[in-house]
Amino acid sequence: SGHPPGGRILVTGGTGLVGRAIEKVVADGEGQLDEEWIFVSSRDADLTSSSETKALFERHKPTHVIHLAAMVGGLFKNLRSNLDFWRTNIHINDNVLHSAHELGVQKVVSCLSTCIFPDKTTYPIDETMIHNGPPHSSNFGYSYAKRMIDVQNRGYSEQHGRRFTAVIPTNVFGPHDNFNIEDGHVLPGLIHKVYLAKQSGSALTVWGTGKPRRQFIYSLDLARLFLWVLREYDEVEPIILSVGEEDEVSIREAAEAIAEAMEFRGELVFDTTKSDGQFKKTASNAKLRRYLPGFQFTPFRKAVKETCAWFNANYATARK
């Protein structure tokens, strides 16, 4: 199945965490000679506008699209603005998928997220369970909009024979992440907190008991898997991209790995007055393993080391 030569691949959201990782992996030799890669961000086109999206597609005439662009935000932003998250993401996704269809794009790979799965569910979660119940109420706008990509992919397949699909990564981390402590995710937030604790010579305070376990995927591993999905994966049904359940890491272990990578010698304090959130949200990578039994993930501590080194080197821009 690999794709025909001369591919022009348009990457939306190309300056974010995953887009930068794909750019690096392509530059480091995973790209093929006959491929032209185009990374665009919101500066190049407002994807909530159908005319701007169409113009972008007509300008670049892609044969393939990796669709990463989305309106994202941390928990507190989501709680206040579920309607905005729904409308903005629905517009972006419909414009990108429909422009791709109208311009005859051969394949689109969109990016979903494990937070879109039903709130009440059995674990491990797998690809068949996306629509089995409402998502968590805190970010229902974002979650439902992301789920609709899967609905739309099925529609384009049934009505037009299009090969539009989606991937579902677990907790992604790496260089170019959002390291904002208030509105970022667990790992980049911890990296920033360790940096500040080290500067001020204070203890590192981690919210909760540190016991919850998560599956983290290094952005560069995810990027390599994105290229495989683009070239080889032929299903419309989404595929979860994740390390296995055996590689789940507790928040405590993550904090310790970051402290070690940052050479932080201070004390680790767990603020148990803060709630833990879900203990586990395990996703099954059985489908990925059926396709790629030999795929080697970067060891967690090595990936954390590389991410911390990037953060240290880019602190002035990374901390925003």
Side-chain angles (χ1 to χ4, degrees):
S1 63
H3 68 69
R8 250 192 325 282
I9 302 129
L10 179 72
V11 183
T12 72
T15 55
L17 167 65
V18 181
R20 291 285 193 204
I22 292 173
E23 191 171 22
K24 178 167 171 50
V25 160
V26 166
D28 289 352
E30 294 273 335
Q32 292 171 356
L33 289 174
D34 52 20
E35 290 172 347
E36 185 190 342
W37 287 82
I38 304 145
F39 294 86
V40 295
S41 75
S42 51
R43 283 193 302 279
D44 300 286
D46 173 6
L47 299 178
T48 63
S49 152
S50 61
S51 58
E52 282 195 36
T53 307
K54 204 170 173 177
L56 177 78
F57 274 72
E58 282 168 348
R59 187 157 69 248
H60 293 296
K61 299 190 172 53
T63 58
H64 297 70
V65 172
I66 293 179
H67 174 38
L68 307 172
M71 175 189 178
V72 295
L75 175 65
F76 302 108
K77 201 162 144 191
N78 269 290
L79 278 170
R80 287 194 306 270
S81 333
N82 268 299
L83 176 66
D84 301 342
F85 278 91
W86 161 263
R87 294 192 67 221
T88 302
N89 285 306
I90 282 290
H91 287 143
I92 290 171
N93 298 337
D94 182 61
N95 289 336
V96 167
L97 292 177
H98 205 63
S99 288
H101 164 62
E102 288 190 318
L103 271 96
V105 169
Q106 294 164 32
K107 187 160 180 186
V108 179
V109 181
S110 297
C111 196
L112 309 183
S113 151
T114 42
C115 74
I116 74 172
F117 278 101
D119 183 36
K120 304 276 185 284
T121 184
T122 53
Y123 293 93
I125 304 166
D126 68 42
E127 291 83 356
T128 66
M129 296 158 73
I130 297 177
H131 303 284
N132 286 2
H136 195 276
S137 59
S138 64
N139 62 346
F140 73 88
Y142 175 83
S143 298
Y144 275 122
K146 282 290 193 187
R147 285 185 187 188
M148 289 309 110
I149 290 179
D150 178 52
V151 172
Q152 202 154 343
N153 285 344
R154 258 185 290 168
Y156 282 116
S157 169
E158 284 181 20
Q159 230 174 292
H160 299 292
R162 291 277 176 226
R163 286 194 310 151
F164 296 175
T165 190
V167 302
I168 310 173
T170 43
N171 302 275
V172 192
F173 73 97
H176 302 279
D177 204 345
N178 170 12
F179 290 89
N180 182 315
I181 290 172
E182 308 306 292
D183 223 26
H185 287 113
V186 178
L187 220 87
L190 278 173
I191 289 172
H192 196 162
K193 275 177 144 178
V194 171
Y195 184 95
L196 295 175
K198 195 178 162 184
Q199 297 295 90
S200 63
S202 54
L204 167 68
T205 305
V206 180
W207 284 16
T209 63
K211 292 193 176 88
R213 307 184 71 77
R214 294 291 179 264
Q215 288 156 301
F216 294 103
I217 182 167
Y218 189 32
S219 58
L220 296 174
D221 291 343
L222 179 58
R224 285 157 50 215
L225 289 169
F226 252 104
L227 295 198
W228 168 77
V229 170
L230 187 73
R231 293 170 183 155
E232 307 294 340
Y233 178 74
D234 275 333
E235 295 182 42
V236 173
E237 277 69 46
I239 183 167
I240 290 170
L241 301 180
S242 175
V243 299
E245 187 169 1
E246 68 283 0
D247 290 315
E248 277 185 326
V249 174
S250 73
I251 302 301
R252 174 187 282 275
E253 288 163 342
E256 287 168 351
I258 292 163
E260 185 186 317
M262 299 282 257
E263 296 176 351
F264 172 72
R265 307 269 180 262
E267 188 190 358
L268 238 65
V269 180
F270 292 87
D271 179 359
T272 53
T273 66
K274 298 281 195 288
S275 80
D276 264 343
Q278 264 171 285
F279 176 62
K280 276 167 78 113
K281 306 181 184 183
T282 314
S284 166
N285 73 346
K287 183 176 185 175
L288 173 64
R289 281 304 184 203
R290 279 200 303 279
Y291 276 104
L292 291 179
F295 185 84
Q296 297 276 308
F297 289 94
T298 306
F300 180 68
R301 282 181 177 266
K302 180 175 190 281
V304 165
K305 259 198 172 58
E306 290 178 12
T307 305
C308 290
W310 185 88
F311 182 78
N312 281 327
N314 296 278
Y315 182 69
T317 49
R319 67 198 161 88
K320 292 187 178 64

